[in-house]
Amino acid sequence: MEKVIDENKQGTSLQLEQHKDNTKKLFIESYGCQMNFSDSEIVASILSDAGYNTTNNLEEADLVLVNTCSIRDKAEQTVRKRLDQYNRVKKKNPGMKVGVLGCMAERLKSKFLEEEKIVDMVVGPDAYKDLPNLLKEVDEGRDAINVILSKDETYGDIAPVRLQSNGVTAFVSITRGCDNMCTFCVVPFTRGRERSREPHSIISEIQDLYERGFKEITLLGQNVDSYLWYGGGLKKDFDKASEIQKATAVDFAQLLELCATKFPKMRFRFSTSNPQDMHMEVIEVIARHDNICKYIHLPVQSGSTRILQEMNRQHTREEYIELVNNIYALIPDISLSQDMITGFPTETEEDHQDTLSLMEHVRYDFGFMFAYSERPGTLAARKLEDDVPEETKKRRLSEIIAVQGKISLERTQRFVGQTVEVLIEKTSKRSDLEWSGRNSQNTTVVFPKENYKVGDFVQVFVEDCTSATLIGKAVGYSPMQEA
């Protein structure tokens, strides 16, 4: 649930530069969080080397892959409907192979081969390098499955292709897996235990992106604050490391410092954070560097300490508030966003009021809010009765959304009359005559195009706003634009 899901990107089919020597066609679409979209770039890179060019035309594909999500039931039901659609196409093109990738593949494993008769191949998040071998199994008439979770796979040696990239912003994965056994979440079971990627491979990937003209990097992981490289291996085994490994280990604050220092003309973001692992060293690094964006996605899930304990969150309401207060004290102009679950088992009206009061205190700029839905295989599904009525969940969710809407407008209004730095990403949805980009605080900004171009860092004077968008006029290039 902590993984931010962009509803506008769900089901996007991906296409990259064609290689003339590749003769087979790959159709790949993704659902879920940004980690899944990042993984699809890795898959496309592996299969490009195996002779596949991507296509947006399902009917002409030799291989169809869907990268799946198990965070919410809605995502799984969407994938099942898509499999039905693939099946209709496959009847016309019996040579077409279909595979399910990602978290849903990991959760359901062989059930996909038994129940979804269309599926030829099931591949978990740590097995993408095995895709060429699995395809040979399929070609020889056998069902193919690899859902083995790895202790060390980070795909650090794979250069991801940038699928449908704007050439300006990119995601770079730094961790895989998660050790936080939140009772509502399937991620530890679908993506395995937490391990970090070797720092040099991260810097090399960013260097390549810098040389290709990219301007903003988001460091990506299930829990980036928990990043810890000590020579390889699982995060949980760090206490068994040698003294030299511990002395030379690199944590997230050090990695962030390294990125910001080595690439002063690139902006950096990161996602997702976990309050229990967000240390002041990271906040100090953000405060120290202008090219680290002043924005943190800081999932809380509930404002009630009792519910947080039921969720197995490793922080209390009071500890979360203390962390937020410390962040604001060091970076007053920062923006925070949240994930919130309403209607978790045993949640009372008092617990719900605790959530609303927490939101009023923290003043989130925006958030991702959901009514609780039981996910098979989670600790909550096994041990807690889903006892909050649906009508109550919906009412509480609407109240949370209303509070967030009010606060979002107030938070966005603070920029009116200010000049903000914006990285131009694309043409505005509102008008072909306007650019759209984001400021450091992750708020969308639109303004007349004039002579600026995608990839420029521009100073924009904010004249007006909606609850989610700043409206203004460019007044010149920002210092980040200067050579």
Side-chain angles (χ1 to χ4, degrees):
M1 189 69 72
E2 286 188 11
K3 311 290 106 47
V4 176
I5 294 176
D6 185 345
E7 297 296 347
N8 294 323
K9 294 180 66 176
Q10 299 307 296
T12 304
S13 62
L14 305 171
Q15 189 161 13
L16 63 148
E17 184 180 344
Q18 306 291 291
H19 294 276
K20 58 180 173 52
D21 295 332
N22 288 355
T23 58
K24 292 172 282 190
K25 298 286 189 181
L26 165 68
F27 179 92
I28 179 170
E29 62 182 24
S30 305
Y31 294 86
C33 68
Q34 186 56 53
M35 183 66 81
N36 271 11
F37 286 82
S38 179
D39 279 358
S40 290
E41 296 179 342
I42 291 169
V43 169
S45 180
I46 292 167
L47 290 177
S48 177
D49 291 340
Y52 285 86
N53 279 331
T54 52
T55 177
N56 280 330
N57 184 355
L58 176 62
E59 283 73 16
E60 72 175 12
D62 300 294
L63 174 62
V64 176
L65 299 176
V66 56
N67 201 342
T68 62
C69 173
S70 279
I71 290 292
R72 302 205 299 269
D73 183 63
K74 177 184 175 183
E76 290 200 0
Q77 295 307 317
T78 300
V79 168
R80 290 186 181 277
K81 289 176 184 176
R82 286 299 284 157
L83 290 174
D84 288 339
Q85 293 171 322
Y86 298 161
N87 199 17
R88 288 195 289 272
V89 176
K90 191 173 184 180
K91 286 177 181 176
K92 300 176 185 177
N93 179 14
M96 188 176 85
K97 304 294 189 293
V98 176
V100 175
L101 311 179
C103 295
M104 197 172 166
E106 189 67 42
R107 191 178 77 76
L108 295 177
K109 300 182 173 67
S110 59
K111 287 183 180 179
F112 258 121
L113 296 173
E114 296 159 6
E115 297 173 6
E116 315 286 353
K117 298 301 183 183
I118 176 181
V119 174
D120 303 294
M121 184 167 59
V122 180
V123 190
D126 289 349
Y128 297 143
K129 286 181 184 175
D130 198 31
L131 274 164
N133 295 326
L134 293 170
L135 285 167
K136 289 178 184 176
E137 292 286 309
V138 173
D139 287 341
E140 292 170 8
R142 293 187 290 273
D143 289 334
I145 181 169
N146 186 342
V147 290
I148 297 171
L149 290 173
S150 169
K151 292 183 178 181
D152 50 23
E153 182 60 80
T154 63
Y155 298 108
D157 57 335
I158 303 290
V161 297
R162 300 297 163 180
L163 297 160
Q164 294 190 336
S165 170
N166 59 11
V168 176
T169 62
F171 292 84
V172 173
S173 295
I174 67 169
T175 71
R176 294 185 74 85
C178 185
D179 288 346
N180 300 320
M181 302 297 288
C182 300
T183 58
F184 54 79
C185 187
V186 296
V187 167
F189 307 107
T190 59
R191 287 188 171 268
R193 301 306 292 264
E194 185 176 313
R195 64 270 188 200
S196 296
R197 182 177 165 190
E198 195 270 324
H200 179 72
S201 74
I202 296 170
I203 296 300
S204 294
E205 185 175 339
I206 297 172
Q207 180 70 46
D208 175 66
L209 291 165
Y210 176 72
E211 291 170 358
R212 289 161 56 191
F214 284 79
K215 301 293 181 69
E216 182 180 287
I217 301 299
T218 299
L219 303 176
L220 194 66
Q222 253 73 38
N223 182 10
V224 290
D225 305 277
S226 189
Y227 176 90
L228 183 65
W229 171 262
Y230 60 97
L234 298 176
K235 169 78 179 288
K236 71 179 183 66
D237 293 333
F238 180 65
D239 59 347
K240 302 173 187 174
S242 66
E243 291 306 311
I244 187 68
Q245 283 179 312
K246 291 179 179 179
T248 57
V250 178
D251 65 14
F252 184 57
Q254 292 167 313
L255 177 67
L256 196 57
E257 176 89 40
L258 179 62
C259 291
T261 304
K262 186 170 178 60
F263 303 100
K265 294 302 179 183
M266 296 183 87
R267 285 207 309 200
F268 288 91
R269 303 182 187 274
F270 54 89
S271 184
T272 290
S273 294
N274 192 301
Q276 73 191 52
D277 297 305
M278 172 64 75
H279 302 300
M280 286 310 297
E281 290 87 349
V282 173
I283 309 306
E284 289 163 0
V285 172
I286 298 171
R288 211 161 37 236
H289 294 278
D290 290 338
N291 63 328
I292 302 179
C293 291
K294 304 304 182 271
Y295 164 70
I296 301 173
H297 182 59
L298 197 62
V300 63
Q301 310 302 356
S302 173
S304 161
T305 292
R306 189 186 70 80
I307 292 296
L308 290 172
Q309 290 172 342
E310 293 287 340
M311 292 176 166
N312 197 34
R313 302 288 285 175
Q314 302 302 306
H315 63 87
T316 64
R317 171 192 175 92
E318 291 73 26
E319 288 167 340
Y320 186 90
I321 288 174
E322 181 182 8
L323 172 62
V324 167
N325 291 345
N326 288 336
I327 292 172
Y328 278 133
L330 207 55
I331 316 173
D333 62 339
I334 201 159
S335 286
L336 301 177
S337 60
Q338 45 86 348
D339 286 353
M340 203 73 74
I341 302 171
T342 188
F344 192 78
T346 77
E347 184 186 69
T348 65
E349 280 302 313
E350 183 179 358
D351 297 321
H352 174 57
Q353 292 301 320
D354 282 348
T355 294
L356 296 177
S357 66
L358 178 82
M359 294 172 68
E360 293 283 5
H361 177 88
V362 176
R363 314 287 297 164
Y364 298 105
D365 286 66
F366 53 92
F368 303 89
M369 297 149 284
F370 311 97
Y372 174 74
S373 63
E374 190 174 82
R375 305 304 297 123
T378 60
L379 295 171
R382 293 203 297 267
K383 296 184 177 180
L384 298 173
E385 180 186 353
D386 187 3
D387 59 354
V388 179
E390 284 302 314
E391 310 80 57
T392 304
K393 289 181 185 178
K394 289 178 182 177
R395 192 239 325 146
R396 291 175 184 170
L397 178 60
S398 67
E399 290 175 7
I400 286 173
I401 291 172
V403 168
Q404 184 58 64
K406 174 180 70 75
I407 296 172
S408 291
L409 177 59
E410 293 167 359
R411 292 291 289 167
T412 307
Q413 285 172 335
R414 80 188 196 270
F415 293 111
V416 175
Q418 294 186 18
T419 299
V420 299
E421 180 187 81
V422 179
L423 173 59
I424 301 175
E425 297 179 30
K426 59 188 177 182
T427 295
S428 168
K429 292 180 181 178
R430 192 175 70 170
S431 169
D432 290 341
L433 301 177
E434 293 180 331
W435 288 126
S436 174
R438 288 172 296 160
N439 67 357
S440 178
Q441 288 82 1
N442 207 39
T443 303
T444 297
V445 186
V446 297
F447 57 95
K449 285 185 172 180
E450 300 182 47
N451 295 320
Y452 300 105
K453 63 184 186 300
V454 168
D456 284 347
F457 284 103
V458 180
Q459 296 289 93
V460 176
F461 179 75
V462 180
E463 300 169 320
D464 199 359
C465 73
T466 67
S467 63
T469 305
L470 301 176
I471 302 161
K473 182 176 177 59
V475 294
Y477 293 106
S478 84
M480 285 283 284
Q481 183 74 11
E482 298 168 4

